[in-house]
């Protein structure tokens, strides 16, 4: 289990660097634009507008979801999804996209995926605060169930970090892998109830797929905590989720440490 | 105790003709791939304070050697012992075009393993050395290539490593820049740091280094006093330049028959 030790040590030793470089990445992505960091909000807002018009007004005819206006219900699912979806895609690219910058120095390579996920987390936090403000204006302050937001945020972060360690190593060697990741992520978006709801007409098999999709666990969790004053995690699903994350992390750390010495030679 | 010790170090690259071969090789599925031996069984030791000039033709393995000293890659076989921290002066790596000069100093410093305090301490000296003036607050995409090179060199050199590896770093800027860099490297030399200097300018190597290490097709041809090594290398160059292109290829590929 020495590889776990290596990954943990590199993260602990370089915690300051990880945060600073993530901030620099965010800055270099947005600061060259006229509107700067505002795009962190404008980008998801434009997506929200499209889904709202097409699914909310077009398909649902403006009907609310369990008494919640569709646009608000959609926002509370879309914001977690944007974090998870872009975390999966960017996380898989994290080594191959940054390797060139660190190619001529001794760099603790296991922090590369974490830097990328952290960059995504910062934009997520900005969006999350905005949505939460809208929710509080509409429904008032729920209090304790907001702990659920913190829990699901940590759960998403853990899943993404563990996954990125694995996927970034694979796609450093097999560039085609990022297309697979792209396709899977697109599919995940539609088999998670983000802009539509499971109802009586949904086939049993699809219901099962949706239920066992871990993204459903996260998105539904966020949404229940924000909109329905619910935070209940004492389920078998929770145990299964964390077991999965742990296995993924051990596996990811193992192949990362085993193969990373070849990163530079396989560039 | 030597500061840098190479014990029968070899580095070879497998020449994969397809991505499938690459992946199979990664998973240790045995198949005989053609191998390019970048370095073969190098054994040498360098003491603290030595200034070693690495010379040789293109493709002799000089950059592979510098990567091994700096710990950027690992040997295929043999052992490399480095006492202290080694840094490769890589002028453009670790710089971000969208960020300004100051931010880049912090970014590259962090990537090279400096703490927040260390970066704060070196920043004024880096700014002064790089001579960027009012451009320090501009994104470096607006810099000329000379300005970028000055900044990159200034950061690398102020990291203050025990062992400095300089791989053709001085060939990018103008004369004033390379003179300034040489002066800075001389300062390192006087402080008793170990330096590896790779350059195609034999006169620069001779004036600057105490020892010479001549690589030919991945093998250590000669290692010792710079005067002797350089003299022999010059004799070889004269001979080499008199050859026809076909004979040159033959000479350089004299080891490639081992496939």
């Amino acid at each position: 289990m020495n590889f776990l030790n290596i990954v943990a040590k590199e993260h602990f030793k370089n915690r300051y660097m990880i945060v600073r470089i993530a901030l620099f990445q965010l800055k270099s992505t947005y600061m060259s634009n006229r509107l700067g960091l505002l795009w962190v909000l404008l980008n998801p807002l434009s997506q929200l507008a499209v889904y709202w018009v097409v699914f909310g007004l077009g398909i649902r005819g403006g009907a609310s979801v369990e008494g919640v206006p569709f646009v608000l219900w959609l926002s509370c699912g879309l914001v977690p999804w944007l974090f998870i979806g872009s975390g999966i895609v960017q996380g898989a690219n994290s080594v191959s996209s940054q390797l060139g910058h660190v190619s001529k120095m001794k760099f603790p390579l296991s922090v590369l995926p974490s830097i990328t996920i952290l960059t995504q987390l910062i934009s997520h936090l900005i969006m999350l605060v905005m949505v939460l403000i809208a929710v509080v204006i509409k429904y008032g302050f729920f209090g304790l169930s907001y702990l659920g937001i913190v829990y699901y945020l940590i759960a998403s972060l853990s899943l993404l970090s563990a996954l990125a360690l694995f996927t970034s190593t694979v796609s450093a060697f097999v560039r085609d892998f990022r297309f697979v990741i792209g396709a899977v992520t697109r599919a995940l978006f539609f088999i998670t109830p983000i802009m539509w709801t499971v109802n009586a007409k949904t086939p049993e098999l699809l219901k099962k797929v949706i239920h066992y999709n871990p993204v459903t666990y996260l998105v539904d969790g966020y949404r229940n905590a924000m909109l329905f004053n619910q935070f209940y995690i004492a389920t078998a699903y929770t145990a299964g989720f964390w077991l999965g994350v742990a296995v993924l992390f051990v596996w990811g750390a193992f192949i990362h440490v085993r193969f990373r010495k070849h990163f530079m030679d396989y560039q | 105790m030597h500061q840098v010790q190479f014990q029968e170090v070899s580095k070879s690259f497998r020449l994969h003709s397809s991505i499938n071969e690459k992946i199979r090789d990664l998973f240790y599925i045995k198949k005989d791939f053609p191998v390019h031996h970048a370095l073969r069984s190098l054994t040498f030791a360098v003491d603290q304070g030595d200034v070693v000039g690495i010379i040789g033709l293109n493709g002799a393995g000089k950059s592979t050697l510098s990567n091994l000293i700096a710990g950027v890659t690992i040997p295929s076989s043999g052992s490399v012992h480095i006492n202290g921290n080694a840094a490769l002066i890589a002028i453009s790596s670790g710089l971000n075009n969208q960020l300004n000069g100051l931010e880049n100093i912090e970014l590259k410093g962090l990537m090279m393993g400096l703490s927040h305090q260390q970066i704060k301490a070196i920043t004024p000296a880096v700014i002064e050395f790089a001579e960027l003036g009012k451009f320090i607050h501009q994104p470096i995409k607006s810099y000329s290539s000379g300005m970028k090179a000055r900044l990159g060199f200034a950061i690398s050199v102020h990291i203050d490593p025990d062992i400095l590896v300089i791989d053709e770093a001085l060939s990018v800027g103008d004369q004033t820049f390379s003179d300034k860099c040489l002066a800075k490297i001389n300062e390192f030399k006087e402080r008793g740091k170990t330096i590896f200097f790779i350059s195609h300018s034999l006169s620069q190597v001779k004036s600057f280094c105490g020892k010479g290490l001549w690589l030919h097709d991945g093998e250590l041809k000669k290692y010792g006093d710079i005067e002797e090594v350089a003299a022999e290398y010059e004799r070889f160059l004269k001979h080499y330049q008199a050859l026809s292109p076909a004979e040159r290829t033959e000479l350089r590929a004299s080891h490639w028959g081992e496939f």
Side-chain angles (χ1 to χ4, degrees), chain A residues 6-71:
Chain A
I6 292 172
V7 172
K9 249 194 202 146
E10 284 186 351
H11 278 77
F12 183 73
K13 240 179 91 183
N14 297 295
R15 58 197 187 280
Y16 176 75
M17 174 186 81
I18 296 171
V19 176
R20 286 302 291 176
I21 293 184
L23 285 170
F24 276 138
Q25 271 187 2
L26 200 67
K27 196 168 178 188
S28 79
T29 313
Y30 288 106
M31 281 309 156
S32 53
N33 304 318
R34 185 76 183 76
L35 294 176
L37 213 57
L38 211 55
W39 283 109
V40 172
L41 292 174
L42 291 179
N43 244 335
L45 269 178
S46 67
Q47 274 189 54
L48 186 72
V50 172
Y51 297 147
W52 181 33
V53 169
V54 175
F55 290 90
L57 302 179
I59 293 177
R60 297 180 59 91
S64 61
V65 184
E66 295 172 55
V68 177
F70 181 77
V71 66

Side-chain angles (χ1 to χ4, degrees), chain A residues 16 20 27 101 103 265, chain B residues 11 22 72 94 103 106 116:
Chain A
Y16 176 75
R20 286 302 291 176
K27 196 168 178 188
H101 296 294
S103 62
D265 295 342
Chain B
K11 176 82 184 175
K22 241 167 136 173
V72 174
E103 290 164 336
E106 186 182 347
H116 181 54

Side-chain angles (χ1 to χ4, degrees), chain B residues 106-226:
Chain B
E106 186 182 347
L107 182 66
K108 188 161 178 171
L110 284 169
M111 283 180 166
M112 297 189 77
L114 293 195
S115 71
H116 181 54
Q117 281 78 16
Q118 284 170 312
I119 292 168
K120 251 178 147 174
I122 65 162
T123 301
V126 172
I127 295 173
E128 202 199 308
F129 187 92
E131 294 175 38
L132 293 171
K134 58 186 181 208
F135 276 93
I136 194 75
H137 295 293
Q138 295 296 312
I140 65 166
K141 63 183 171 193
S142 66
Y143 287 17
S144 70
S145 54
M147 288 161 78
K148 239 186 255 182
R150 283 207 297 274
L151 181 66
F153 184 88
I155 301 167
S156 300
V157 90
H158 282 88
I159 304 285
D160 203 26
D162 304 316
I163 302 157
L164 199 61
V165 186
I166 304 156
D167 188 352
E168 299 281 355
L170 307 185
S171 52
V172 284
D174 56 14
Q175 193 61 42
T176 356
F177 170 67
S178 57
D179 285 349
K180 194 171 174 178
C181 295
L182 266 178
K184 185 76 195 169
I185 299 165
N186 264 315
E187 199 185 301
F188 268 85
K189 197 169 140 184
E190 277 156 28
R191 280 164 53 202
K193 304 252 177 186
T194 309
I195 300 172
F196 290 87
F197 188 74
I198 299 173
S199 173
H200 280 292
S201 157
L202 205 55
S203 61
Q204 220 174 37
V205 173
K206 271 201 291 195
S207 72
F208 183 66
C209 303
K211 282 184 169 176
L213 196 158
W214 173 16
L215 286 176
H216 182 73
D217 192 35
E219 276 180 358
L220 184 64
K221 195 92 174 178
K222 198 171 168 72
Y223 174 55
D225 185 69
I226 184 68

Side-chain angles (χ1 to χ4, degrees), chain B residues 60-135:
Chain B
K62 301 189 295 294
S63 291
T64 307
L65 178 59
S66 71
N67 282 341
L68 283 172
I69 297 167
V72 174
T73 51
I74 49 156
S76 308
S77 66
S79 67
V80 176
H81 280 288
I82 308 281
N83 241 328
N85 65 321
L88 188 68
I89 295 206
I91 281 175
S92 59
S93 85
L95 296 181
N96 183 322
N97 269 326
Q98 307 292 339
L99 300 173
N100 72 30
L102 266 181
E103 290 164 336
N104 269 292
I105 295 174
E106 186 182 347
L107 182 66
K108 188 161 178 171
L110 284 169
M111 283 180 166
M112 297 189 77
L114 293 195
S115 71
H116 181 54
Q117 281 78 16
Q118 284 170 312
I119 292 168
K120 251 178 147 174
I122 65 162
T123 301
V126 172
I127 295 173
E128 202 199 308
F129 187 92
E131 294 175 38
L132 293 171
K134 58 186 181 208
F135 276 93

